[in-house]
Amino acid sequence: MSRPEPGSGHASITPMSDQAGNPAPGGPGRGQVPGLDTRHAHPARVYNYWLGGKDNYPADREAAEAAIAANPRIVTDVRANRAFLARVVRYLAADCGIRQFLDIGTGLPTASNTHEVAQAAAPDARVVYVDNDPIVLSHARAHPASDIRAAEMAEMTRRVNERMSGPTATMRDRAAITHFFDELDLLEPGVVQPQQWRPDPGALSPPQVTAWCGVARKP
């Protein structure tokens, strides 16, 4: 996330690319991933179901409900995480003057997407979405875009994939998460559970969420 560059006076949503860094199929406009499999559950669609989205199928909903049965708090956790993202984006756009956002691991669109929150606070905000999941790419094409630069997006996705190669899911405690903020200016209230990071006044929040989060500024 960065401050605006001179002359960047319009909003845009850049299309996603696949894991190899190739532009999403179909060119500008709408597109579909060939061979879309709706018979088996897919993590992005399961997560979409937990968030209350509509981009899921019976197999996804069955898997999502099975996970809920095993961990009844999972919906509370993912929704608290999503609400945290929205509050951070709003704070950065409205209070910090941030106009360029990079959303890595976008997932399927639901309510309060990054570009919606950012542009509600600052209409000239620019958002780039990056995701290596081909299922997500088909839905990304459904978003209107005023500035599509597929070649640049492909290169950015390739670079992000190189930096993020390796295990993507590791359980860490608060101390381990805090370590990620070393040499950065950690904003108040520091590393907390998502629902505890600058909650909206009067908002109903769960008492406990199994995640840690924080926001920091590079000196």
Side-chain angles (χ1 to χ4, degrees), residues 154-201:
E155 174 61 16
M156 178 174 290
T157 301
R158 183 189 65 77
R159 292 164 59 187
V160 169
N161 284 332
E162 287 180 352
R163 288 177 174 269
M164 297 183 69
S165 61
T168 58
T170 301
M171 297 298 293
R172 294 183 173 92
D173 58 16
R174 185 172 183 269
I177 296 298
T178 301
H179 182 64
F180 284 115
F181 295 96
D182 289 351
E183 300 182 7
L184 299 175
D185 293 336
L186 185 60
L187 304 183
E188 293 294 336
V191 175
V192 295
Q193 294 182 2
Q195 79 282 9
Q196 297 169 338
W197 196 91
R198 305 191 183 193
D200 295 327

Side-chain angles (χ1 to χ4, degrees), residues 136-153:
V136 176
L137 306 186
S138 63
H139 295 273
R141 287 296 185 182
H143 284 297
S146 60
D147 182 11
I148 295 179
R149 298 190 294 265
E152 293 181 25
M153 190 65 253

